């Protein structure tokens, strides 16, 4: 799990969020640090301050666990990604052009999944 290309997060924040999204039940700073150390040279205090910043920004919750805290993402990766997509569509640009480019970049399989999802959503709206 390398890279932090999660839109809206700094590079380290993205990597931390990737680890927390992957950790069922959340993780302590030590657990995230140990995972990150496998891919890069990083100081414990850097991971600690990054997690504290994410908590301060409301991206993480924390629960006391002995002398440490267990951190959990406040939104799933899918929920966060949907919020980012919504923000892009609401950014004041031409939303039709944005959607057109987005759909144009989809694979055939993704396009079929989108069409099926839209059919299901339309069916639920009628019910």
């Amino acid at each position: 799990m390398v890279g932090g290309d999660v839109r809206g997060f700094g590079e380290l924040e993205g990597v931390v969020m990737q680890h927390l999204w992957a950790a069922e039940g959340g993780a302590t700073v030590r657990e995230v640090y140990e995972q990150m150390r496998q891919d890069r040279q990083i100081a414990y205090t850097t991971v600690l301050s990054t997690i504290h910043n994410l908590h301060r920004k409301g991206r993480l919750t924390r629960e006391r666990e002995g002398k440490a805290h267990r951190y959990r993402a406040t939104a799933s990766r899918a929920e966060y990604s949907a919020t980012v997509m919504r923000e892009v569509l609401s950014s004041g640009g031409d939303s039709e052009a944005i959607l057109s480019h987005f759909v144009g970049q989809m694979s055939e399989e993704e396009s079929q999944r989108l069409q099926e999802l839209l059919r299901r959503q339309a069916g639920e709206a009628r019910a």
Side-chain angles (χ1 to χ4, degrees), residues 112-122:
Q112 289 173 357
R113 286 195 317 236
L114 177 59
Q115 289 173 14
E116 177 57 33
L117 178 62
L118 290 170
R119 277 192 290 278
R120 275 189 276 148
Q121 293 282 336

Side-chain angles (χ1 to χ4, degrees), residues 28-71:
T28 63
V29 173
R30 173 72 52 197
E31 290 167 345
V32 174
Y33 166 71
E34 292 297 334
Q35 285 290 313
M36 289 179 71
R37 258 180 27 149
Q38 294 175 18
D39 297 328
R40 64 175 63 209
Q41 193 172 6
I42 191 163
Y44 176 87
T45 54
T46 301
V47 177
L48 175 68
S49 63
T50 302
I51 288 176
H52 281 181
N53 287 340
L54 286 165
H55 177 259
R56 183 182 46 78
K57 292 176 181 179
R59 301 293 187 193
L60 302 176
T61 61
R62 71 180 180 193
E63 186 176 296
R64 191 73 141 150
E65 189 173 280
K67 292 183 178 183
H69 286 99
R70 180 155 300 274
Y71 291 88

Side-chain angles (χ1 to χ4, degrees), residues 6-27:
V6 181
R7 188 177 247 280
F9 292 117
E11 197 268 334
L12 278 177
E13 289 178 334
V15 173
V16 166
M17 290 303 296
Q18 301 252 15
H19 285 286
L20 287 167
W21 279 321
E24 287 188 34

